[in-house]
Amino acid sequence: IFEAERTTTMMVSAQSRHSRLGEKAQAAVELGYPEVAIRYQNLAVRLIEEELQHAQGAALVGLRRNRGIAFLFRAGIRLHLKDQVGAKADLAVATRLIANPSVDDTELVNGFRARILEVEAQEMAGSDRKGAIATISEAIRLVAENRYRTLIPSLLMQRAEWYGLDGDRAAMA
């Protein structure tokens, strides 16, 4: 974390620092270290919140959207930590910031919807595994061809685990 803080402060733009922290968080999740990932993502959220205190005009609008994205990705990390309550809280903030009709970024909206579906699927996995599989499959479809396709490996792993629990070894592959 110290290294991330040190290297990100050398960059000029808050957007670049936010992106770099997000990339580190995503890498930590993919390597199986969600505890490290949440620290990176918390730094990204704090960075944006600090920048928001001084922003005006178009920069303010952009930072609000970035804040929503940061909360959206933190929700995903919380899911890996089995923190459903925290994930829902982060999704609620992200909803307020980015999930509105004025958002013209289809990929962002689909990435957001995929995270919501992931939370819903995890909630239903204990009682309705087939429903959870269908829901997570829809999340995979939403991000299959856009910039959020990096979510696919974790979504596929969750789905494979649920297929395995259902005894469907062929579908696990």
Side-chain angles (χ1 to χ4, degrees):
I1 298 298
F2 174 76
E3 180 65 21
E5 188 74 41
R6 190 177 68 74
T7 58
T8 57
T9 57
M10 289 187 237
M11 293 179 210
V12 176
S13 115
Q15 175 63 39
S16 295
R17 290 180 294 191
H18 171 245
S19 294
R20 186 156 171 115
L21 286 167
E23 289 169 2
K24 288 178 180 184
Q26 184 68 32
V29 167
E30 297 304 324
L31 291 171
Y33 297 99
E35 301 84 2
V36 173
I38 196 75
R39 290 181 174 181
Y40 283 124
Q41 199 60 30
N42 285 339
L43 283 172
V45 169
R46 276 196 304 265
L47 167 73
I48 292 168
E49 289 173 345
E50 288 170 8
E51 292 292 321
L52 276 167
Q53 294 175 8
H54 310 288
Q56 299 176 26
L60 182 63
V61 172
L63 283 169
R64 283 183 181 148
R65 179 181 272 187
N66 286 347
R67 184 171 179 248
I69 293 168
F71 274 90
L72 175 64
F73 276 89
R74 191 168 74 179
I77 295 166
R78 289 185 190 277
L79 289 175
H80 286 278
L81 293 168
K82 308 290 188 231
D83 178 7
Q84 307 300 89
V85 173
K88 281 184 172 182
D90 282 351
L91 283 173
V93 172
T95 298
R96 200 174 70 248
L97 295 169
I98 62 175
N100 62 54
S102 67
V103 173
D104 58 352
D105 185 341
T106 304
E107 288 186 354
L108 174 61
V109 171
N110 283 345
F112 175 74
R113 287 176 48 214
R115 281 291 191 208
I116 290 174
L117 290 172
E118 182 181 16
V119 171
E120 290 174 0
Q122 286 195 0
E123 286 181 335
M124 68 174 72
S127 60
D128 179 12
R129 203 165 292 122
K130 289 190 186 328
I133 290 168
T135 301
I136 206 116
S137 295
E138 176 61 12
I140 292 166
R141 187 194 66 74
L142 285 171
V143 296
E145 298 298 325
N146 72 31
R147 69 178 182 253
Y148 296 106
R149 64 184 169 273
T150 56
L151 298 174
I152 292 175
S154 66
L155 297 174
L156 287 172
M157 288 175 51
Q158 289 176 72
R159 187 174 69 179
E161 178 184 339
W162 296 333
Y163 274 131
L165 291 171
D166 267 357
D168 191 344
R169 299 274 179 220
M172 287 178 64

